[in-house]
C-alpha cells in the first residue's frame, strides 16, 4: 500500500512542479490516482462477516499453537531441505516453522503465529486440523539414520523456548507418524523419545510398569493418549515407533504385546490422573 504520508509528500511535490509545468500535472495526478486505486485494490479482502455489524474490539491477539509436531526431513542435507521447505516442489508446497540441522543449527522458516504446511491430514485426540494447532519442527535426518546428540540437544532447547514462550504444555509434543499413522513414519523408530521425556517433553510412562487390571481396554487407552483408531494396525505401528523404538514396516497384523499393555496402562494413568 502506498503510505498516506508518502502519498501527500508526492502530491505536494507534484503541485510545486505544476506551478512551472502545468501540462505535466494532469498526467502526474492521473498516475497518482491510478496508483492509489491499485493500492486500494491490493488490500487483503475484508474478513468481516457481512451478516454482522462490525464493532471492532482491541482485545485480541494472534492465535496460539497448542501442540508441537516433530518430523524427520528424510532428505540428504539441510540445504536440500531448506529448498524443499521454501519452494514448490514435485510433492507440492510444504514448510515447517523450524528446521534443525545435524550440527544443531536451528533455522526458522515460518513465524510461530502463522500456519506452516507440515502436518497435513490426520488427528490427535480432538485436534483434527493439526496445521492450525501446531508448531512444526523438521529435523535433518535420512530415514533410518541415527540422530546426532547436537541436534537432539538443539531440539530440546527449542522445545523449552516454545513451550515457555507460547504456553504449549510440555506433554504436547508428538511425532508426525503419531497423528498420521497411515501416511507417515517420521521421525521414525530411531528418534530418542526417552531422551526428550527425560528432559521433560512429550508423554512417557512414569514409574514401574505393571500389568493392567482385568478389563483394561488398550484401544480406549490409545484413544485417550491421542491416537486415531481409524486404522488400528497403523496406530499400533506408530505406537511401537514412539514407545518401543520398533519398526514394524507395513505389517497389517501389528498388535500389542504384554509390554505394550503395561506402557499403555501407565500412559493412561497419566492421562486420567496426571501427577501434580
Ligand atoms: Zn513429517
Amino acid at each position: 500500500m502506498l503510505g498516506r504520508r508518502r502519498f501527500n509528500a508526492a502530491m505536494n511535490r507534484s503541485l510545486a512542479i505544476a506551478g512551472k509545468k502545468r501540462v505535466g500535472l494532469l498526467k502526474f495526478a492521473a498516475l497518482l490516482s491510478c496508483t492509489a486505486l491499485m493500492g486500494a485494490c491490493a488490500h487483503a479482502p475484508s474478513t468481516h462477516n457481512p451478516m454482522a455489524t462490525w464493532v471492532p474490539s482491541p482485545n485480541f491477539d494472534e492465535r496460539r499453537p497448542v501442540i508441537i509436531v516433530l518430523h524427520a526431513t528424510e532428505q540428504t542435507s539441510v540445504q536440500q531441505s531448506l529448498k524443499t521447505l521454501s519452494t514448490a516442489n514435485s510433492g507440492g508446497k510444504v514448510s515447517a516453522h523450524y528446521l534443525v540441522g545435524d550440527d544443531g543449527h536451528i533455522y526458522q522458516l515460518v513465524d510461530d503465529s502463522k500456519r506452516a504446511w507440515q502436518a497435513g491430514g490426520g488427528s490427535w485426540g480432538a485436534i483434527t486440523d493439526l496445521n492450525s494447532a501446531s508448531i512444526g519442527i523438521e529435523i535433518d535426518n535420512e530415514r533410518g539414520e541415527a540422530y546426532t546428540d547436537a541436534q537432539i540437544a538443539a531440539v530440546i532447547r527449542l522445545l523449552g523456548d516454545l513451550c515457555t514462550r507460547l504456553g504449549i504444555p510440555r506433554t504436547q509434543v508428538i511425532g508426525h507418524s503419531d497423528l498420521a499413522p497411515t501416511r507417515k513414519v517420521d521421525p521414525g523408530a530411531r528418534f530418542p523419545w526417552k531422551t526428550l521425556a527425560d528432559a521433560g517433553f512429550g508423554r512417557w510412562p512414569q514409574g514401574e510398569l505393571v500389568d493392567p487390571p482385568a478389563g483394561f481396554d488398550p484401544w480406549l487407552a490409545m484413544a485417550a493418549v491421542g491416537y486415531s483408531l481409524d486404522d488400528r494396525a497403523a496406530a499400533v505401528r506408530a505406537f511401537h515407533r514412539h514407545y518401543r523404538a520398533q519398526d514394524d514396516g507395513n505389517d497389517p497384523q501389528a498388535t500389542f504385546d504384554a509390554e505394550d499393555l503395561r506402557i499403555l496402562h501407565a500412559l493412561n494413568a497419566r492421562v486420567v490422573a496426571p501427577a501434580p
Side-chain angles (χ1 to χ4, degrees):
M1 183 176 85
L2 188 64
R4 171 64 58 190
R5 205 173 292 169
R6 287 173 60 193
F7 181 90
N8 288 342
M11 186 58 86
N12 288 340
R13 275 199 306 278
S14 77
L15 290 173
I17 294 165
K20 298 169 189 167
K21 296 186 178 177
R22 188 160 293 280
V23 179
L25 174 63
L26 289 174
K27 275 188 187 169
F28 190 59
L31 178 67
L32 279 178
S33 64
C34 281
T35 309
L37 268 176
M38 285 166 62
C41 293
H43 286 169
S46 168
T47 54
H48 306 158
N49 191 333
M51 291 176 64
T53 301
W54 173 238
V55 185
S57 168
N59 306 336
F60 66 93
D61 58 11
E62 298 281 349
R63 287 175 191 269
R64 295 207 174 165
V66 294
I67 190 166
I68 298 171
V69 178
L70 302 183
H71 304 258
T73 56
E74 299 177 342
Q75 293 192 313
T76 56
S77 71
V78 81
Q79 286 74 25
Q80 183 189 9
S81 299
L82 283 170
K83 187 174 178 197
T84 301
L85 295 170
S86 55
T87 59
N89 57 80
S90 58
K93 291 181 179 176
V94 294
S95 61
H97 295 90
Y98 296 94
L99 169 63
V100 179
D102 59 10
D103 60 354
H105 191 94
I106 302 172
Y107 302 84
Q108 183 171 15
L109 298 99
V110 177
D111 282 356
D112 294 339
S113 62
K114 303 298 184 198
R115 187 174 178 274
W117 301 341
Q118 36 95 22
S123 67
W124 187 250
I127 305 173
T128 54
D129 179 358
L130 268 297
N131 277 343
S132 292
S134 68
I135 292 281
I137 302 174
E138 287 278 0
I139 306 167
D140 179 28
N141 181 270
E142 281 195 76
R143 190 177 292 191
E145 180 181 65
Y147 290 84
T148 70
D149 292 345
Q151 68 187 162
I152 295 306
V155 167
I156 287 171
R157 280 202 314 279
L158 180 57
L159 291 174
D161 163 68
L162 292 169
C163 291
T164 301
R165 196 161 43 77
L166 304 179
I168 299 173
R170 287 170 185 254
T171 50
Q172 291 280 79
V173 181
I174 62 170
H176 199 184
S177 72
D178 292 318
L179 72 94
T182 58
R183 297 188 303 112
K184 297 292 177 180
V185 299
D186 67 310
R190 297 198 72 174
F191 188 77
W193 288 106
K194 172 73 165 63
T195 305
L196 259 65
D198 289 343
F201 300 102
R203 196 181 294 284
W204 199 256
Q206 304 293 310
E208 190 184 347
L209 295 180
V210 297
D211 288 334
F216 176 75
D217 184 337
W219 300 112
L220 284 181
M222 285 284 281
V225 171
Y227 287 100
S228 165
L229 303 184
D230 288 351
D231 182 330
R232 295 189 177 201
V236 171
R237 296 195 297 269
F239 176 86
H240 282 163
R241 279 189 290 270
H242 192 129
Y243 290 101
R244 303 294 301 277
Q246 177 179 321
D247 188 341
D248 299 324
N250 285 321
D251 182 4
Q253 308 297 325
T255 189
F256 299 122
D257 67 10
E259 181 72 356
D260 292 337
L261 299 188
R262 287 189 279 269
I263 292 170
L264 271 171
H265 176 52
L267 290 170
N268 196 49
R270 290 276 293 170
V271 171
V272 173

